[in-house]
């Protein structure tokens, strides 16, 4: 992939920034309609850019074709007009403040998007770069999108579809790749950008922040940890097989690569028999899911490495129990060590705890990195346990089977993404009633 030169980057940044006034004059209804039409095109299985993308992505990111189809369709559904307006209404109450002056308690108010937003995108989950780009467009900000080496294709292809739907966007979108950390190349961006949306590791975000001017508005999504909690009362549920199926789906659908992927299923006070029954149910669910979403060669290799590692640890006396067979293309393990482990490959880790208090103690060291928790408990417990999770630092609490795909209007990492990008301007009414 060719990289721009420093002089080309400077020219590009100046061109994007100069388009801000034109983009600000486009009505929000027009922008939303263009995004909606592009998403509708991409939802069609026979849309040429879609099948061309799906022909290439499995070799790049390791997802199977069936899983990519599922992920694309679920993400595209969030980019349809009703979902986009739901987000705008949730975050602005009156989205027309994006188009001009609206009545407010001080007189009149409006919001203005950044004259340039730099999007730093991770490659672990397809479509992250597009969601970032759409956020920029919804607040009418020209966007420079730096795609990841692990997912370099879809953002450029979707941007092309957007420009076909609304040619006025052509001067306000640039999608390209370069090797991150090039200070000479990135200097003109940092000198001109008014906002940065960063989906990256904590280390990568910190490195850019260190070079950023203080005035830049940051919307950073760093390293996150998600998991599931299965209460004792639900272990005895007659619906255990259905619960296991949903938990397995959450674990498989993004192959443990998303910030919302559960890295462990914490199980409250299980007996040996209950763990065995849960393991059987999860193995059956994984067998069904492996038929629906066959694991790619890279995922199979990662799973095999994890299995080998766990087998050696079990042989060395670690409190680990393997609940799946060695010849299966997935792994279910019970890990009773104190630390909540991370996951690699297609595997589900069951972490027994004696009670909720022990679970809270294990979460506390992770409080700055907690993202989503699937809470499987009785209706009577749900609000009490959700309140405890919120106090620890969890930012999203969901139902089993929904963890991989948050609702379109969710508060990503506990914030309003669109409101975090804009600048409010107030036109005050006169204090003199005669004026």
């Amino acid at each position: 992939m060719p990289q721009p030169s420093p002089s080309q980057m400077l020219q590009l940044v100046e061109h994007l920034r100069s388009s801000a006034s034109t983009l600000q004059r486009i009505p929000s209804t027009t922008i939303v309609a263009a995004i909606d039409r592009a998403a509708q095109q991409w939802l069609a299985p026979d849309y040429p850019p879609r099948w061309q993308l799906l022909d290439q992505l499995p070799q790049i990111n390791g997802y199977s074709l069936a899983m990519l189809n599922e992920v694309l369709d679920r993400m595209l559904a969030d980019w349809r007009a009703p979902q986009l307006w739901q987000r705008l209404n949730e975050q602005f109450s009156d989205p027309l403040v994006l188009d001009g002056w609206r009545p407010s308690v001080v007189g009149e108010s409006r919001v203005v998007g950044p004259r340039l937003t730099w999007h730093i995108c991770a490659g672990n989950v397809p479509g992250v770069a597009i969601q970032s780009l759409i956020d920029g467009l919804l607040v009418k900000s020209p966007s420079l999108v730096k795609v990841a080496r692990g997912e370099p294709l879809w953002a450029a292809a979707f941007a092309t579809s957007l420009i076909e739907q609304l040619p006025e966007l052509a001067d306000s979108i640039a999608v390209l790749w370069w090797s991150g950390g090039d200070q000479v190349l990135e200097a003109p961006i940092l000198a001109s950008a008014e906002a940065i949306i960063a989906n990256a590791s904590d280390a990568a975000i910190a490195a850019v922040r260190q070079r950023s001017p203080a005035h830049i508005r940051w919307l950073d999504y760093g390293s996150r940890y998600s998991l599931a909690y299965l209460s004792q009362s639900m272990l005895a549920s007659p619906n255990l097989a259905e619960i296991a199926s949903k938990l397995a789906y959450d674990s498989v659908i993004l192959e443990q690569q998303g910030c919302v992927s559960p890295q462990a299923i914490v199980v409250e006070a299980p007996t040996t028999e209950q763990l065995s029954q849960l393991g059987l149910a999860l193995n059956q669910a994984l067998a069904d899911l492996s038929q629906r979403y066959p694991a790619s060669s890279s995922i199979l290799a990662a799973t095999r490495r994890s299995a080998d590692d766990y087998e050696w640890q079990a042989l060395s006396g670690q409190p680990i129990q393997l609940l799946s067979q060695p010849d299966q293309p997935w792994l279910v393990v019970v890990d009773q060590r104190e630390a909540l482990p991370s996951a690699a490959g297609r595997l589900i880790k069951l972490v027994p705890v004696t009670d909720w208090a022990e679970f809270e103690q294990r979460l506390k060291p992770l409080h700055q990195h907690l993202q989503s928790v699937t809470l499987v408990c009785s209706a009577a417990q749900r609000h009490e346990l959700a309140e405890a999770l919120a106090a620890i630092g969890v930012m999203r609490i969901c139902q089993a089977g929904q963890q991989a795909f948050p609702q379109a209007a969710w508060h990503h990492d506990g914030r309003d993404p669109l409101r975090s990008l804009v600048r409010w301007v107030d036109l005050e009414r006169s204090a003199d009633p005669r004026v």
Side-chain angles (χ1 to χ4, degrees):
M1 292 179 283
Q3 291 195 167
S5 67
S7 61
Q8 289 172 327
M9 182 64 79
L10 177 60
Q11 292 174 4
L12 175 61
V13 166
E14 291 176 346
H15 181 80
L16 288 168
R17 191 177 169 97
S18 69
S19 75
S21 58
T22 301
L23 184 56
Q24 282 287 337
R25 290 193 292 270
I26 301 175
S28 293
T29 52
T30 302
I31 293 173
V32 168
I35 298 169
D36 177 73
R37 290 194 301 270
Q40 185 177 20
Q41 282 184 310
W42 276 88
L43 279 166
D46 58 349
Y47 183 51
R50 176 178 176 130
W51 55 256
Q52 290 166 5
L53 178 79
L54 290 174
D55 186 52
Q56 300 174 59
L57 273 187
Q59 289 77 39
I60 297 173
N61 59 24
Y63 288 99
S64 68
L65 183 61
M67 186 173 294
L68 284 169
N69 271 303
E70 172 98 354
V71 172
L72 264 61
D73 285 347
R74 295 293 294 267
M75 287 191 163
L76 286 162
D78 286 344
W79 304 333
R80 300 305 306 277
Q83 286 72 27
L84 296 175
W85 284 117
Q86 184 184 60
R87 292 189 69 213
L88 288 167
N89 280 293
E90 169 70 21
Q91 297 189 39
F92 293 111
S93 297
D94 180 4
L96 292 181
V97 294
L98 291 159
D99 294 340
W101 300 101
R102 300 292 292 170
S104 69
V105 293
V106 300
E108 293 178 284
S109 300
R110 67 161 299 160
V111 297
V112 180
R115 282 174 286 185
L116 177 63
T117 298
W118 179 20
H119 306 257
I120 304 171
C121 304
N124 55 325
V125 176
V128 170
I130 301 173
Q131 182 62 68
S132 188
L133 170 61
I134 288 173
D135 284 356
L137 289 176
L138 289 176
V139 298
K140 303 184 183 182
S141 175
S143 291
L144 172 59
V145 182
K146 180 191 179 299
V147 295
R149 186 189 296 270
E151 215 288 75
L153 302 177
W154 195 17
F158 193 85
T160 300
S161 298
L162 280 173
I163 292 166
E164 290 173 354
Q165 296 298 327
L166 186 59
E168 295 94 320
L169 296 178
D171 289 332
S172 300
I173 301 174
V175 181
L176 62 161
W177 174 87
W178 66 89
S179 183
D182 187 327
Q183 297 191 22
V184 174
L185 192 61
E186 295 172 356
I189 308 174
L190 292 171
S192 298
E194 293 186 355
I196 295 175
I197 304 176
N199 290 272
S201 67
D202 289 348
I205 290 172
V208 179
R209 269 190 177 275
Q210 191 174 20
R211 296 184 279 123
S212 301
H215 70 269
I216 292 182
R217 290 190 289 282
W218 267 85
L219 196 57
D220 56 308
Y221 304 109
S223 303
R224 292 291 180 262
Y225 199 106
S226 295
L227 45 91
Y229 184 84
L230 181 58
S231 71
Q232 167 58 222
S233 63
M234 302 309 290
L235 278 172
S237 169
N239 299 323
L240 184 62
E242 181 183 353
I243 293 170
S245 179
K246 292 178 177 180
L247 291 172
Y249 175 83
D250 289 336
S251 295
V252 165
I253 194 60
L254 293 175
E255 302 289 14
Q256 304 286 1
Q257 297 185 57
C259 65
V260 293
S261 297
Q263 299 294 296
I265 299 175
V266 179
V267 187
E268 181 188 7
T271 65
T272 301
E273 182 181 356
Q274 286 174 328
L275 274 178
S276 177
Q277 290 175 343
L278 179 58
L280 287 172
L282 288 170
N283 273 288
Q284 181 58 58
L286 287 167
D288 296 339
L289 286 165
S290 292
Q291 292 295 317
R292 183 176 173 187
Y293 307 110
S296 66
S297 58
S298 60
I299 296 299
L300 288 172
T303 306
R304 185 65 260 166
R305 289 193 296 270
S306 293
D308 291 343
D309 183 50
Y310 270 108
E311 287 171 2
W312 278 109
Q313 291 181 59
L315 288 172
S316 66
Q318 295 291 327
I320 291 167
Q321 179 185 3
L322 275 67
L323 299 182
S324 52
Q325 298 301 314
D327 59 342
Q328 293 173 329
W330 63 81
L331 184 63
V332 180
V333 300
V334 178
D335 191 334
Q336 302 193 52
R337 292 173 295 184
E338 290 187 7
L340 286 175
S342 60
R346 185 168 289 192
L347 73 155
I348 293 178
K349 298 186 180 183
L350 303 177
V351 179
V353 294
T354 55
D355 52 27
W356 180 263
E358 182 185 349
F359 176 52
E360 286 185 303
Q361 284 300 117
R362 292 199 183 201
L363 285 186
K364 284 182 179 178
L366 304 170
H367 70 97
Q368 292 182 333
H369 299 279
L370 291 171
Q371 169 55 269
S372 299
V373 170
T374 288
L375 191 55
V376 185
C377 63
S378 67
Q381 291 178 294
R382 189 165 181 81
H383 276 89
E384 178 186 353
L385 300 186
E387 191 69 22
L389 289 172
I392 295 170
V394 172
M395 292 175 283
R396 173 174 169 253
I397 302 162
C398 58
Q399 304 278 356
Q402 299 175 3
Q403 190 158 4
F405 299 106
Q407 295 185 28
W410 76 310
H411 298 90
H412 193 175
D413 280 9
R415 293 172 289 190
D416 287 328
L418 304 181
R419 288 180 68 95
S420 299
L421 292 172
V422 301
R423 172 170 51 90
W424 286 82
V425 185
D426 295 326
L427 179 61
E428 296 182 0
R429 67 172 63 91
S430 174
D432 187 344
R434 297 170 298 175
V435 178

